[in-house]
Amino acid sequence: MSALLRRLALVLAALGLLVCAGCERSPTEAYIDMSTAAQMGDRDGFLAGFTTDSRDLVEALITLSEAYGMTESNPYELLVFDSVDEEVIEEDQAILSVRRRGSTRKILMVRDEDAWRIDTKKLDAFWQSER
């Protein structure tokens, strides 16, 4: 991505945050914010998409995958997809059906501190139950 496109995306994201200050973000919007941060190399923005209890683990996984060149098993590859095809909200949980090229996956998000985030323990349990 060119530097101009990155700057434009950052400006648009900042404007979106200013316009939506005080309004609740949907799970899809929260996921897109997190994914955009990951694609732009904004580690803190990506980590903000996780619950407080999950952030240390995800950050450690990112560090390990970068240190050992495990690009296919890093959190970015496991969780960042190109589009959200469906969002189903049930109380304090949401299931997003996401897609990248021919690959699809379901992502569980939970309401945490008045925002939608990923909790790694709950996501892992959800993926185990989906098998």
Side-chain angles (χ1 to χ4, degrees):
M1 182 183 290
S2 74
L4 178 61
L5 286 176
R6 281 190 204 131
R7 277 189 237 132
L8 179 59
L10 280 173
V11 168
L12 290 174
L15 285 174
L17 289 175
L18 288 174
V19 169
C20 263
C23 64
E24 182 175 317
R25 310 283 291 158
S26 73
T28 296
E29 291 169 325
Y31 177 80
I32 290 171
D33 290 347
M34 182 185 87
S35 296
T36 301
Q39 292 168 348
M40 296 178 64
D42 177 5
R43 183 182 285 204
D44 291 335
F46 178 69
L47 291 173
F50 294 88
T51 61
T52 304
D53 291 340
S54 300
R55 286 184 194 142
D56 288 341
L57 172 64
V58 174
E59 187 167 29
L61 290 171
I62 292 169
T63 301
L64 285 172
S65 66
E66 289 172 349
Y68 291 99
M70 301 181 309
T71 56
E72 299 209 2
S73 62
N74 71 44
Y76 300 129
E77 288 298 313
L78 295 172
L79 297 170
V80 176
F81 285 72
D82 296 329
S83 66
V84 178
D85 294 336
E86 182 180 27
E87 171 187 282
V88 177
I89 300 173
E90 295 178 4
E91 297 180 21
D92 287 343
Q93 294 189 349
I95 298 172
L96 305 180
S97 296
V98 296
R99 182 171 29 98
R100 176 181 41 218
R101 296 185 277 300
S103 178
T104 59
R105 186 140 219 189
K106 289 186 179 180
I107 305 287
L108 175 72
M109 298 188 80
V110 298
R111 191 179 306 270
D112 176 64
E113 300 174 6
D114 295 326
W116 291 99
R117 294 189 172 91
I118 295 174
D119 181 281
T120 54
K121 288 180 185 176
K122 290 179 181 177
L123 178 61
D124 183 54
F126 172 73
W127 282 346
Q128 294 297 324
S129 73
E130 288 284 302
R131 288 187 180 166

